[in-house]
C-alpha cells in the first residue's frame, strides 16, 4: 500500500480510485467466469436462446445508461460533484500500488465466488446476473472516474482508512518532459 501523510490520520494508505474500482470489477468478473464454468460442468450448458441472453443484454444497456447519469453533476447520483470535492494532496503519493502489481483483490474474489457459487448451485443460476451487473457497474464507475481525471489533468486517490474511506483526494499528473532538439539542447 502507498503510505501518505496528506489527508486524514498520519500514515493513511492512498489507493488510486480508478484502480480500486477496476480491482473490484476484475474480482467480480473472475468470480462470474469461475461460477459459469462450474455451473456448466454441474448443470450442463444452458440453451443459447434469447430468454437466457436477454437479461444480460438488458443489464448491460441499463448500466451503460446509468454510467451517463453517473458522470453528470446531478446531486444524488452524479459522481462529478464528489470528484470536484476532492482535496488536493500536499505531495503526490509514489506510484507503488498499481494494477500491474495487484490486478484484483483475492479476498473480494473469494467472497464473490463463495456467495455466487453457493446461491447458483443450490438456488438458481440467475444469481450470476448479479455478478454481471456488479462487474459492469464497477467498470463503468472506473471509466467515469478515468474520464474525469483525464479532463481535469489530475489523479484521484481514495483514502483507505477506517475513519474516512469515502474521502477522495487528487494530485496533478506530472507534466511531460521538455522537448529537446536533435543536439539535445532545450528549444529556444
Amino acid at each position: 500500500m502507498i503510505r501518505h501523510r496528506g489527508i486524514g490520520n498520519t500514515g493513511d494508505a492512498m489507493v488510486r480510485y480508478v484502480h480500486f474500482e477496476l480491482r473490484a470489477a476484475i474480482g467480480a468478473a473472475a468470480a462470474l467466469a469461475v461460477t459459469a464454468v462450474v455451473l456448466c460442468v454441474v448443470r450442463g450448458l444452458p440453451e443459447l436462446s434469447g430468454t437466457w441472453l436477454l437479461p444480460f443484454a438488458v443489464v448491460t444497456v441499463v448500466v451503460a445508461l446509468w454510467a451517463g447519469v453517473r458522470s453528470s453533476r446531478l446531486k444524488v447520483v452524479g459522481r462529478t460533484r464528489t470528484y470536484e470535492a476532492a482535496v488536493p494532496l500536499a505531495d503526490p503519493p509514489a506510484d507503488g500500488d498499481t494494477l500491474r502489481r495487484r490486478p484484483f483483490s483475492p479476498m473480494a474474489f473469494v467472497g464473490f465466488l463463495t456467495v455466487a457459487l453457493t446461491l447458483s448451485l443450490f438456488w438458481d443460476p440467475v444469481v450470476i446476473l448479479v455478478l454481471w451487473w456488479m462487474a459492469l457497474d464497477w467498470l463503468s464507475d472506473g471509466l467515469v472516474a478515468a474520464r474525469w481525471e483525464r479532463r481535469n489533468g489530475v489523479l484521484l486517490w481514495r483514502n483507505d482508512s477506517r475513519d474516512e474511506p469515502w474521502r477522495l483526494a487528487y494530485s496533478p499528473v506530472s507534466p511531460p518532459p521538455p522537448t529537446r532538439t536533435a543536439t539535445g539542447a532545450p528549444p529556444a
Side-chain angles (χ1 to χ4, degrees), residues 8-28:
N9 299 331
T10 303
D12 290 344
M14 301 296 288
V15 177
R16 274 279 309 275
Y17 181 74
V18 172
H19 293 183
F20 177 78
E21 295 294 328
L22 293 179
R23 277 189 191 111
I26 290 169

Side-chain angles (χ1 to χ4, degrees), residues 97-161:
D97 190 23
T98 64
L99 281 175
R100 288 184 189 168
R101 290 189 182 164
R102 225 173 34 121
F104 73 100
S105 170
M107 294 301 290
F109 169 71
V110 169
F112 291 142
L113 183 64
T114 304
V115 171
L117 199 55
T118 305
L119 291 176
S120 294
L121 287 174
F122 296 113
W123 186 44
D124 194 357
V126 172
V127 171
I128 64 172
L129 190 61
V130 174
L131 277 178
W132 178 253
W133 166 72
M134 291 170 67
L136 289 179
D137 189 50
W138 278 313
L139 177 65
S140 69
D141 200 22
L143 293 175
V144 166
R147 180 176 177 243
W148 187 88
E149 284 181 344
R150 186 170 179 89
R151 283 185 166 194
N152 292 288
V154 297
L155 300 175
L156 286 171
W157 297 90
R158 183 176 176 270
N159 185 4
D160 202 20
S161 73

